Amino acid sequence: MNYIDQLNPAQQKAVLKINGPILIIAGAGAGKTKTVTTRIVNLIKSGIQPENILAITFTNKAAKEMRERVHQMIEGDRDLHAVIGNRHPFLSTFHSLGVYILKNFGYTQGINKNFTILDRDDSRKKVKEILVRKGHDPKKVEPSKVLNMISKNKGENITLAEYTTKVLSGHDGFLGETVQAVWAQYDAELRKEKNVDFDDLLTLPVKIMKENPEIKQKLNNLWQYIHVDEYQDTNPIQYELCKLLAGENKNIVVVGDADQTIYSWRGANISHILEFENDFPGTEMVLLEENYRSTANIIEAANNVIEKNIYRKKKNLFTQKESGDKIEVYTGFDEVDESRYVIGKIKSLIQQGVEPKEIAVLYRANFQSRVLEESCLMFNVPYQVLGVRFFERKEIKDMISYLKAAVNRDSITDIKRTINTPARGIGAVSLIKIVEDRIKDLTQATQIKVKEYFALLDVIENKTKTEKLSEVFKYIFKNSGIEKSYLTKSEDDLEKLENIKELISLTTKYDGFEPEEALELFLEETSLMSDQDELDKKDQQNKVRLMTVHASKGLEYDYVFIVGMEESLFPYERANETSADRDDEEERRLFYVALTRAKKKLHLSNAIIRTIFGARQVRTMSNFIKDINEKLIDHNDNTTYNKVYGSNNGNKDNGDKRDLLDLSEIDW
């Protein structure tokens, strides 16, 4: 099968060029994954060895999709499959790539292959412990703020030594001194415990490659053709990693869209994609502008919005799909009225036969979900809020921590979490003595309990070497005391029991691997799980999705409702910002992303009055709606908008009245 014939001319151009740097500007829904996967298969058909090809993306979901497509195309080509057998390209997320490099070369930084990856909550707890030991009040010096500053600097490719120099020169004042001291202790404790955090998965590989030219050369020889997805979302440390991996031959292909740069708050730098041609002279740029996802009206509206931005690579999305429905705009009296209208509309769609999982409600800020959830319950609409992660539930973390503590006795974090879970009568003072290896100073009764605990870890460790992972978890569940502790039959405890049983069910997918390989895969995959991966795991649930616009990136739905379209909410108003123009552009990019999630029908809504931080405020309709050509919009005849402004019926003059609002003249 000739996969190249299935591509449009622009996609073919990106696929057929073999060597040198390529910048693929891919608009929303323009088939970038299809282009990249076809290019990878074409490289292999051209004689490039599969193991010499690397592709990096941001989420496990995207990496999995890319992997499945490549494997399917290879297996569908009998001749190609016969030549390469089971050899495949390395397709992963940035963090999984970091894990691979650390497992192979982490010894240069004193890290062995059994390191544990701390999640954000464990990192915060460790920072809090360090602050307390240094005499700080966590209520005055917030652990989350300190951790965020450490993470921000790591993401900006700033080392502890460089930050120390900045602090000595007066940077960040007193807080900077605190951050510097905590950072130093934090890193030291992670290394001692054979642990790393998420930032280390990127900073340490960069450090290894910079300090060890022979390792860099080895990786450059291994991966001779580099592909980077969503390049516009890279932060400075990811950008540095990409440049190091590209090496001297510079066979690097980056795919992205400056119009979808929405993560500057976590370090994404739009200049990376805008200046790619300067970083790699001789770059060939390819524009993917044909959208295969949305109707023509949705695409035209998205173009109306984004063309107002300056910091972008110009392109114009188009589609060969039909015009489709107009964009419906609804104005509610308040957020309750708005949410009841939206969920009522969704209820009607479901009654007409639309699958709930094909409907999404997007909002700018998390607080907006509460009233939507209440309306879902009122209308009996099945829903799922994206953001509640299964692997971050306490009972699940407790189970996994037993596993981590068993295979890594240096992980004080996991020992602290499990040694008194469930309660064994080992207090805080006893725990300090255990951590300091002063078990002999404990009472005789406590020593017996501690020995029983470590004997349990010994058994678990032995089982990880000989038994299926699901059987190991069954043993932990029954013999740690966790099962017994939740048998009180309260509703909350029953839910926790069901969650643990779900964990055991999930681990059966690793039962086909050798025990030690299964353990390694499980710990890596669960540590790197993202919100979208969590949604992917539950895709079989036929429920309406509620999520922030940020969380919707990369997803698509037949029917999309974007709520809260008001000035100061969307676009979101930030206080004390110095780069107002760029912030406004990012908000517009965020709206562009939201619009282009919709395939068939798009709904926008706002409220005239909204309760913010307990105060009822009069709101103004978002200017983003005004950016859309009026001919594409249908103002619902029953909306509060029309009670205030009169029916629009396509009349542009009436549309200009949207800024006028005198509540005293409204008879509610």
Side-chain angles (χ1 to χ4, degrees):
M1 190 174 193
N2 192 346
Y3 297 105
I4 295 176
D5 290 343
Q6 300 177 20
L7 305 177
N8 64 41
Q11 292 172 327
Q12 290 181 6
K13 181 180 178 182
V15 166
L16 294 174
K17 180 176 170 59
I18 302 296
N19 295 307
I22 304 175
L23 171 61
I24 302 175
I25 301 296
K32 68 180 177 67
T33 303
K34 184 176 183 179
T35 303
V36 173
T37 52
T38 306
R39 173 182 164 78
I40 289 172
V41 173
N42 186 62
L43 285 175
I44 298 172
K45 294 184 75 168
S46 301
I48 308 301
Q49 299 304 309
E51 55 268 27
N52 294 145
I53 301 171
L54 170 68
I56 323 168
T57 187
F58 277 82
T59 66
N60 289 323
K61 185 177 187 294
K64 179 184 176 184
E65 180 184 0
M66 197 176 292
R67 217 163 15 238
E68 288 175 348
R69 288 200 194 188
V70 169
H71 291 184
Q72 185 178 24
M73 292 168 72
I74 290 173
E75 290 171 3
D77 190 323
R78 188 176 302 172
D79 294 336
L80 183 60
H81 189 251
V83 172
I84 68 171
N86 292 321
R87 295 180 297 139
H88 293 287
F90 193 102
L91 311 177
S92 81
T93 64
F94 271 100
H95 289 95
S96 292
L97 173 64
V99 170
Y100 175 86
I101 295 174
L102 286 182
K103 284 187 180 296
N104 284 276
F105 306 107
Y107 62 85
T108 62
Q109 304 298 316
I111 296 171
N112 65 24
K113 291 186 177 182
N114 292 326
F115 64 81
T116 298
I117 304 169
L118 262 63
D119 65 21
R120 199 71 176 171
D121 185 54
D122 286 334
S123 291
R124 184 191 59 78
K125 287 178 180 176
K126 183 168 286 296
V127 166
K128 182 179 179 180
E129 290 173 2
I130 295 170
L131 282 169
V132 171
R133 290 204 304 268
K134 290 184 176 295
H136 296 288
D137 183 351
K139 293 181 180 179
K140 295 180 179 178
V141 183
E142 296 177 32
S144 294
K145 187 171 184 179
V146 173
L147 179 61
N148 288 341
M149 289 183 69
I150 294 172
S151 181
K152 178 176 180 291
N153 280 280
K154 285 184 175 182
E156 290 177 357
N157 201 13
I158 295 172
T159 66
L160 174 58
E162 290 168 338
Y163 187 71
T164 300
T165 301
K166 289 169 65 177
V167 169
L168 291 174
S169 64
H171 183 80
D172 286 349
F174 171 74
L175 184 57
E177 294 178 11
T178 303
V179 170
Q180 186 275 332
V182 171
W183 184 352
Q185 186 65 31
Y186 174 73
D187 275 2
E189 292 190 15
L190 287 186
R191 298 299 88 83
K192 181 180 178 182
E193 296 181 21
K194 298 176 185 174
N195 287 341
V196 297
D197 64 13
F198 281 96
D199 299 308
D200 291 332
L201 295 178
L202 300 175
T203 59
L204 290 176
V206 166
K207 191 170 188 283
I208 288 169
M209 294 177 74
K210 281 186 170 182
E211 294 179 354
N212 302 273
E214 72 285 357
I215 292 177
K216 176 181 178 297
Q217 190 59 53
K218 189 171 184 178
L219 292 173
N220 291 156
N221 292 340
L222 174 61
W223 296 315
Q224 297 174 19
Y225 291 85
I226 315 295
H227 303 76
V228 186
D229 190 21
E230 303 287 8
Y231 190 68
Q232 79 280 349
D233 291 336
T234 54
N235 64 17
I237 195 69
Q238 291 162 332
Y239 167 76
E240 181 74 11
L241 181 60
C242 291
K243 289 179 70 175
L244 289 167
L245 290 169
E248 297 301 319
N249 61 29
K250 294 181 171 43
N251 290 330
I252 180 170
V253 178
V254 301
V255 189
D257 182 6
D259 293 340
Q260 297 184 67
T261 305
I262 60 172
Y263 295 119
S264 66
W265 51 275
R266 69 181 189 195
N269 191 330
I270 194 173
S271 68
H272 294 162
I273 194 165
L274 296 179
E275 298 174 9
F276 181 81
E277 293 155 293
N278 296 329
D279 291 334
F280 295 92
T283 291
E284 182 154 354
M285 185 170 76
V286 179
L287 288 177
L288 303 185
E289 298 175 293
E290 183 173 358
N291 178 284
Y292 296 94
R293 177 189 299 158
S294 309
T295 63
N297 282 343
I298 293 172
I299 294 304
E300 185 177 347
N303 285 335
N304 290 165
V305 169
I306 204 62
E307 67 186 9
K308 294 182 178 295
N309 274 6
I310 297 171
Y311 302 102
R312 63 190 295 255
K313 294 276 188 182
K314 287 192 176 181
K315 67 178 186 311
N316 192 59
L317 278 185
F318 68 93
T319 183
Q320 297 185 38
K321 287 180 177 286
E322 60 185 14
S323 296
D325 294 336
K326 286 188 175 184
I327 298 167
E328 184 174 302
V329 174
Y330 177 83
T331 297
F333 173 62
D334 58 15
E335 67 268 23
V336 174
D337 179 20
E338 178 195 29
S339 70
R340 289 180 180 176
Y341 172 79
V342 167
I343 304 306
K345 193 83 173 178
I346 289 172
K347 179 78 170 181
S348 177
L349 286 171
I350 294 172
Q351 289 172 340
Q352 293 169 33
V354 176
E355 295 285 336
K357 66 181 180 181
E358 288 300 332
I359 305 170
V361 183
L362 311 183
Y363 37 84
R364 179 61 182 84
N366 277 306
F367 76 83
Q368 294 173 261
S369 70
R370 180 193 60 79
V371 68
L372 290 165
E373 290 186 69
E374 289 176 355
S375 293
C376 282
L377 293 171
M378 174 185 291
F379 285 91
N380 196 28
V381 168
Y383 71 94
Q384 176 187 353
V385 180
L386 183 60
V388 181
R389 299 189 192 179
F390 179 77
F391 289 100
E392 288 185 359
R393 297 178 184 274
K394 179 187 181 301
E395 62 274 17
I396 302 302
K397 289 185 67 174
D398 289 343
M399 290 283 292
I400 296 174
S401 277
Y402 267 102
L403 193 65
K404 290 179 178 179
V407 298
N408 180 9
R409 299 302 170 83
D410 293 316
S411 182
I412 303 302
T413 298
D414 292 304
I415 289 175
K416 283 181 177 179
R417 184 179 193 96
T418 56
I419 198 168
N420 211 34
T421 303
R424 293 184 174 89
I426 301 174
V429 175
S430 296
L431 183 56
I432 292 172
K433 292 178 181 178
I434 295 166
V435 170
E436 294 175 350
D437 197 21
R438 293 191 291 123
I439 296 177
K440 64 180 184 301
D441 294 340
L442 300 172
T443 65
Q444 192 65 33
T446 304
Q447 285 188 44
I448 292 172
K449 294 172 185 175
V450 171
K451 287 177 181 178
E452 288 174 347
Y453 166 75
F454 281 105
L456 173 65
L457 295 188
D458 287 338
V459 176
I460 295 170
E461 182 182 18
N462 289 331
K463 285 182 175 293
T464 63
K465 298 174 183 177
T466 59
E467 297 186 10
K468 293 178 180 179
L469 190 60
S470 58
E471 294 299 322
V472 176
F473 272 116
K474 286 178 185 176
Y475 181 84
I476 294 172
F477 185 39
K478 292 183 178 299
N479 292 276
S480 66
I482 289 177
E483 181 183 30
K484 187 177 179 180
S485 70
Y486 289 137
L487 290 178
T488 59
K489 303 300 183 184
S490 73
E491 186 175 337
D492 186 47
D493 284 348
L494 287 174
E495 182 183 352
K496 290 177 180 178
L497 281 172
E498 289 303 313
N499 287 334
I500 293 173
K501 289 176 182 177
E502 174 68 10
L503 170 67
I504 294 170
S505 296
L506 287 171
T507 58
T508 58
K509 78 172 187 176
Y510 300 93
D511 286 350
F513 296 93
E514 289 298 316
E516 292 187 359
E517 184 182 3
L519 171 66
E520 188 174 318
L521 281 172
F522 171 79
L523 290 178
E524 179 182 333
E525 290 181 5
T526 54
S527 294
L528 302 180
M529 193 72 69
S530 70
D531 282 342
Q532 286 197 3
D533 300 320
E534 188 72 14
L535 180 62
D536 189 46
K537 180 171 68 68
K538 296 182 178 179
D539 259 348
Q540 69 274 17
Q541 294 188 10
N542 197 13
K543 298 180 179 181
V544 174
R545 317 302 196 195
L546 310 182
M547 69 188 83
T548 65
V549 180
H550 280 101
S552 75
K553 177 80 179 295
L555 304 176
E556 57 184 48
Y557 299 91
D558 286 345
Y559 299 87
V560 171
F561 293 76
I562 309 173
V563 301
M565 293 301 306
E566 300 144 25
E567 288 296 300
S568 299
L569 182 53
F570 203 1
Y572 196 78
E573 184 178 79
R574 293 176 174 85
N576 301 320
E577 291 287 353
T578 56
S579 53
D581 290 343
R582 296 227 177 191
D583 289 332
D584 288 345
E585 292 213 351
E586 176 142 342
E587 287 295 306
R588 192 173 287 110
R589 291 195 294 269
L590 194 58
F591 185 45
Y592 172 81
V593 166
L595 293 173
T596 53
R597 299 311 94 197
K599 293 193 284 186
K600 293 181 179 179
K601 174 81 176 183
L602 188 59
H603 298 258
L604 308 178
S605 62
N606 66 296
I608 289 179
I609 294 176
R610 186 174 298 274
T611 303
I612 305 289
F613 298 120
R616 289 168 65 79
Q617 300 177 2
V618 176
R619 315 293 289 179
T620 304
M621 181 184 284
S622 172
N623 282 311
F624 287 163
I625 295 180
K626 300 176 189 178
D627 288 339
I628 299 172
N629 191 318
E630 195 68 38
K631 71 176 184 178
L632 303 174
I633 292 179
D634 177 19
H635 290 283
N636 188 295
D637 286 339
N638 296 319
T639 69
T640 302
Y641 172 93
N642 288 302
K643 293 179 184 177
V644 180
Y645 307 113
S647 179
N648 187 284
N649 292 326
N651 187 322
K652 182 65 179 176
D653 291 336
N654 274 349
D656 289 339
K657 296 177 183 177
R658 281 182 274 186
D659 285 330
L660 305 176
L661 177 62
D662 183 355
L663 288 176
S664 65
E665 296 179 6
I666 301 174
D667 181 9
W668 298 111

